[in-house]
Amino acid sequence: MHIAIILALIVIGSVVFHFLSPWWWTPLASNWGYIDSTIIITFWITGTVFAAVVLFMAYCVYRFRHREGSRAAYEPENKRLESWLAIGTAVGVAAMLAPGLVVWGRFVTVPSDAAEVEVVGQQWQWSYRLPGKDGRLGASSVRYVTPENPLGLDPNDPRAQDDIIVQGDNLHFELGKPVKVLLRSLDVVHDFYVPEFRAKMDMIPGSTTYYWFTPTRTGTFEVLCAELCSTGHPYMRGGVVVEAKADYQPWLQQQKTFAELSKPAKASALKQEGVTRWDLK
Amino acid sequence: MVDVTHGVAVPVAEVGDVELYHPRSWVTKYVFSQDAKVIAIQYSLTALSIGLVALVLSWLMRMQLGFPGLLSFINADRYYQFVTMHGMIMVIYLLTALFLGGFGNYLIPLMLGARDMVFPYVNMLSYWIYLLAVLVLVAGFFVPGGPTGAGWTLYPPQAILANTPGQQWGIILMLVSLMLFIIGFTMGGLNYVVTVLQGRARGMTMMRMPLTVWGIFTATVMALLAFPALFVGSVMMLLDRVLGTSFFMPSIVLMGEQLKYGGGSPILFQHLFWFFGHPEVYIVALPAFGIVSDLISTHARKNIFGYRMMVWAIVAIGALSFVVWAHHMYVSGMNPGFGFFFATTTLIIAIPTAIKVYNWVLTLWRGDIHFTVPMLFALGFIVTFVNGGLTGLFLGNVVVDVPLSRTMFVVAHFHMVMGIAPIMVIFGAIYHWYPKLTGRMLDDTLGKLHFWVTFVGAYAIFFPMHYLGLLGVPRRYYEMGETAFVPPSAHTLNEFITIAALIVGAAQLAFVFNLFWSLRHGRPSGGNPWRATTLEWQTPETPPTHGNWGKELPVVYRWAYDYSVPGAAEDFLPQNQPPMPRTP
């Protein structure tokens, strides 16, 4: 008897908790409201199923509890019932999967007018790179990384020279402008995660991954690493700022290019390179 | 169903009885035993012991999350070591070993009417190699640098690089231990499969086997196919770590230093890991599905509803689980096009799984439900499994997974569905079969206390945890620190979860006490205390002796679920009871 009441209370408690919970997703700051909508659909369907199954179970447990002289029915199968339940489940699953796949289609289709920005992860900090005047990011490789060239840009690639490097500062985004975030790691797997944007993706050393979004709300948001990257993982934080074009442009103007940053060091770097080559011979 | 319930045609035995190996000394009887029942108990006790270690680790983790800094010896290194060891122990060394090595060994021969496993000597080796694997794993706690703290998924490059705790010895021991486990498991696993296919008693057709055997059998076949992927991954990572090869290692700059690795693929490891790792979820779940079906049927005194559908659902889930692995990798940076395929296969697997849930509940419908402790745990399983299974529909649906992956939502989901739910079944199964092992019942009052605290407590731990994930709290954080979007109330919730976890953990001590206390003081059970139909309850002696069946092997005349058959005097007909003589 009391098991039936507790089963019912679990359903009621879960539903009440869901609606009263102060823990809910952060206010959205990107175009991925579609994702939030898909979650809401999923909550409704799964919540209904959970309540229905457990309440039905509570009823059975109450109604068919053992009493003196009671005896169970004998019914090995019921083809009709089983088929209907399977069909109903398939419909419910399709109702979640279909919108999910449509939204995923958008998620993986980067708009052609998206601006590119690169995020580089390493233990345990974030750095950023924006294309310079030529609008393109230059080549890069872990092999080029030196103290003077921390992001490993190819010094021989002319397109890399005007790339803008942001280190130890927040990354800024222009409000309403779609952006393709290219993700690169120098050491282990990291994950560039801003909860308000909903999107996230791992960065894998040795390859470049990406996702895209459109910032839809101005403000400063926290960046976290979402893939275990050893003991400094919880401290790998950063910030991003979403601002209108009028505020974004002055920020962009202040940033230094790769050429500007590496100029004083360039001579010594070349010299060092010469020495290394000589040694190899 | 006439042919099943009243089947008269019993095939003749094709081969005669084989002479069993008989132990001659105490050592060969209880230590290096070749009797599957002894091996089962060895497996179970080892798994439960290492499980207690994992329980303590979970307490320590929760203390750090709920009351950061209170236990000053938990630094970040140790925290990640606890996380890693807790996960690996629970999934592999407890759940897999207990379901297959423990329940598999005990129940397969007895439920099928066999005298023992087909290859008893290999079966014995299987346990001793498993024990060695456990010891190598535990050795990690005592070597310089401690056990690995790479997370139980062991993702390279992190797992073998210098900044990761346990990089010196821990990771090597972990990989060696996994390889040993797989070798040991393969020996046992081949045994289970061959015994099911070849060792059944006369009349025990495949479609008369109890669902417990179907679950363990299918899970074993899956494990034999899935574990090699982990074995290969472990070998390659070990080579990367020890010999400096670059299977999984690209060019890396670590803290400003160029490493000598280059050209390897970190994501290849993830594919190998999850090609094993997803079937692994069902390797744990399918035996639980099977066992819980038998618990529900026995204690509701009603045949399992839709037996044939249940069997096909087990087989379908087993097959499908090999084509869903990359749903663990939606945000791993693999080709995003994979998302369409893996989301579709993942959600399709929900259909056979849902059918199983419906059939369990429909077995209760018009049953005669006895609220025994095994039945309570079975009901607890259904609630937690339905809850955890449904949140799987969030994470399986690729685009919904994007914001939720890597958060506490994932932790809550998999603990509910493959932590709490299978453990509910393990407890139910132990309360159910303990009388067969010992001839005594476990104490009922302690059992009910154990159930209520565990069930309600575990639900209180993991249900609210989903909402921390929804908020965006990432998993595997040693401490959250000051984070703008995390309100102070989230910390209060963490404290609550920790307190609940301590209480639930303490309740397990009541269970351990019960196991030992009832051995001496439990009520004598007799051979068939639950009035069950399956063969293990029909042994001539309880506990069953060497060879299980005395002189005569049982002959099977009916399926495993003849409960409350109309017209029968008793409300159960054992599988070896000949058909009722037809009235002329």
Side-chain angles (χ1 to χ4, degrees), chain A residues 3 7 57 61, chain B residues 292 296 364 369 371 374-384 424 451 455:
Chain A
I3 174 106
L7 290 177
M57 202 166 97
V61 161
Chain B
V292 87
I296 292 172
L364 297 173
I369 304 169
F371 295 112
M375 182 52 132
L376 291 177
F377 275 106
L379 295 173
F381 162 81
I382 297 179
V383 173
T384 49
M424 287 276 153
F451 166 74
F455 171 58

Side-chain angles (χ1 to χ4, degrees), chain A residues 8-25:
Chain A
L9 281 178
I10 281 177
V11 174
I12 296 164
S14 302
V15 173
V16 169
F17 183 93
H18 177 82
F19 286 108
L20 297 185
S21 161
W23 307 290
W24 194 245
W25 54 49

Side-chain angles (χ1 to χ4, degrees), chain A residues 18 123 200 225 230-231 235, chain B residues 77 163 358 405 467 477 479:
Chain A
H18 177 82
Q123 288 179 343
K200 71 160 82 73
C225 181
S230 172
T231 43
Y235 313 112
Chain B
D77 276 22
N163 287 324
Y358 301 145
S405 64
Y467 290 80
Y477 263 41
E479 56 185 357

Side-chain angles (χ1 to χ4, degrees), chain B residues 9 47 61-62 85 102 164 170 178 261 282 292 312-313 323 341 397 405 411 417 517 519 547 560:
Chain B
M61 276 188 284
R62 276 318 312 182
M85 295 300 272
T164 304
L178 285 174
Y261 293 110
Y282 289 99
V292 87
W312 288 118
V323 289
F341 174 78
N397 201 353
S405 64
V411 178
V417 80
W517 189 82
L519 210 52

